[in-house]
Amino acid sequence: MATEEQVKKYLAYWFQLGKKVVVNNGTDKLLPDPIYQDNSYSPEFERCWQAIVAPKSGSCYLEGTQETIAELLTPKWDVMLCARCTMPIPAKIRGTPPENCPCVDLPLWPNSEVPQPRSPVDSSRRLGGIRDRLRNQKYKEDNGSAILVPDEHLIPLLEDLPQCECQAISKMGVE
């Protein structure tokens, strides 16, 4: 069963490629901009989501698909990766799979020469991990690769280095 978060992620990825959600039984289309703000969905995305799940919006679906968002939120559906383009797509848990991926009407997709759609990035957590690796840790896993950080006894940490006593810097008032 697809969770609400999986369906939101599915929409967010396709929004990054310019796909819109058709609402109000085909009379309107929504495409929030921006999709992310900091490490979560933007207020514009959240307003779009609220419009999608509102009963008064009628049948809502991603352009190029036939499955409604309401259907995707039932136990009959899940979200998986397309074998062709590795983007998230809806998949029936039982029964016939969808005829096409939403990428079927994107003539230049998949395109490995442009940045791929992504999930939001928690910058403070990511930068904190970099900071921690630079401080003390010898090894840290980062996306599956071990990164060697020098032993603190071999190379002193930046805060342990003596301050420069150059007169040029002192005259500028930099401490």
Side-chain angles (χ1 to χ4, degrees):
M1 177 178 135
T3 64
E4 182 176 305
E5 188 55 37
Q6 287 174 321
V7 175
K8 287 172 109 173
K9 188 180 217 180
Y10 157 74
L11 291 174
Y13 272 61
W14 288 106
F15 286 158
Q16 292 174 63
L17 293 179
K19 289 278 192 173
K20 298 174 184 171
V21 169
V22 179
V23 296
N24 297 327
N25 298 317
T27 59
D28 294 319
K29 294 182 180 182
L30 302 175
L31 179 63
D33 186 36
I35 299 161
Y36 301 120
Q37 184 173 345
D38 297 325
N39 62 345
S40 61
Y41 298 112
S42 69
E44 291 82 1
F45 179 91
E46 291 296 345
R47 279 193 290 280
C48 179
W49 177 254
Q50 291 307 314
I52 291 168
V53 295
K56 67 178 182 176
S57 295
S59 295
C60 302
Y61 56 92
L62 185 68
E63 285 181 318
T65 66
Q66 298 173 355
E67 306 79 28
T68 67
I69 304 304
E71 286 176 324
L72 298 182
L73 293 169
T74 66
K76 294 179 182 179
W77 290 87
D78 203 354
V79 175
M80 59 186 288
L81 297 179
C82 172
R84 178 175 174 254
C85 70
T86 68
M87 289 285 287
I89 59 169
K92 265 190 176 175
I93 291 177
R94 291 192 178 114
T96 309
E99 289 182 29
N100 295 311
C101 172
C103 71
V104 74
D105 62 354
L106 296 175
L108 300 176
W109 193 258
N111 183 349
S112 61
E113 303 208 2
V114 297
Q116 302 295 301
R118 61 171 183 81
S119 295
V121 176
D122 185 347
S123 299
S124 61
R125 193 174 93 199
R126 189 82 170 132
L127 291 172
I130 294 169
R131 179 201 61 227
D132 292 344
R133 286 195 309 272
L134 290 173
R135 282 202 174 142
N136 296 335
Q137 299 178 1
K138 292 182 183 183
Y139 295 95
K140 174 108 181 179
E141 290 296 318
D142 185 17
N143 294 333
S145 63
I147 297 175
L148 176 65
V149 177
D151 190 319
E152 65 186 280
H153 300 293
L154 298 176
I155 300 175
L157 299 174
L158 293 178
E159 56 256 31
D160 296 336
L161 295 174
Q163 293 235 328
C164 177
E165 296 178 10
C166 297
Q167 292 183 355
I169 293 176
S170 300
K171 288 179 183 175
M172 295 187 323
V174 178
E175 296 184 43

